[in-house]
Amino acid sequence: QLQLVESGGGLVQPGGSLRVSCAASGSTLDEYAIGWFRQAPGKEREGILCINLWYPGSTTNSVDSVKGRFTISRDNAKNTVYLQMNSLKPEDTATYYCGAHWSPYPNFCTNGFDKGRYDYWGQGTQVTVSS
């Protein structure tokens, strides 16, 4: 069974950068779509980025609030997906989670921000953006 572990969170100043990791074990990520989600205190978990690794081309999608600032990538050798966060804002403060959906359709990421579509989750990593 696939297992996911997030890491790399911490405290960063506004305008700074941070990279968080989603390390997978138990299965290769070649057959999954990966979604990055975040949840601030008192708010719903929201999807921000999606990458479909099942099909060649690895299609991606992102919400407008992070577009141009956040980038998703993968290290095949480490079976790990990364979330690179630049130009961080205080409103980015949240617990960040990665989720996985097995055997996605080619257009999965078009609707990849629905947390109900994901079968596996990591424990989350805290990101705090503050001066």
Side-chain angles (χ1 to χ4, degrees):
Q1 185 176 359
L2 180 70
Q3 296 182 24
L4 303 174
V5 178
E6 300 96 337
S7 62
L11 176 64
V12 62
Q13 294 183 344
S17 298
L18 197 66
R19 189 178 76 165
V20 295
S21 303
C22 177
S25 61
S27 183
T28 176
L29 289 177
D30 288 344
E31 299 181 358
Y32 292 86
I34 301 296
W36 279 102
F37 290 73
R38 64 186 182 185
Q39 186 170 19
K43 296 185 178 180
E44 298 289 327
R45 186 175 300 187
E46 63 168 342
I48 55 174
L49 281 164
C50 178
I51 182 168
N52 191 342
L53 303 173
W54 177 225
Y55 294 95
S58 299
T59 58
T60 60
N61 195 16
S62 63
V63 295
D64 290 341
S65 61
V66 306
K67 193 165 296 181
R69 299 189 300 122
F70 291 10
T71 302
I72 191 169
S73 62
R74 182 196 178 186
D75 186 328
N76 291 336
K78 296 182 178 180
N79 205 28
T80 298
V81 171
Y82 301 97
L83 176 63
Q84 178 67 47
M85 301 181 288
N86 300 324
S87 302
L88 283 163
K89 306 174 182 179
E91 51 263 44
D92 295 319
T93 296
T95 301
Y96 283 74
Y97 300 87
C98 59
H101 177 93
W102 180 69
S103 188
Y105 289 100
N107 63 346
F108 176 88
C109 284
T110 301
N111 193 29
F113 307 130
D114 180 0
K115 61 181 181 294
R117 302 188 71 191
Y118 292 87
D119 308 299
Y120 307 96
W121 294 95
Q123 83 292 340
T125 186
Q126 177 67 38
V127 174
T128 302
V129 184
S130 179
S131 299

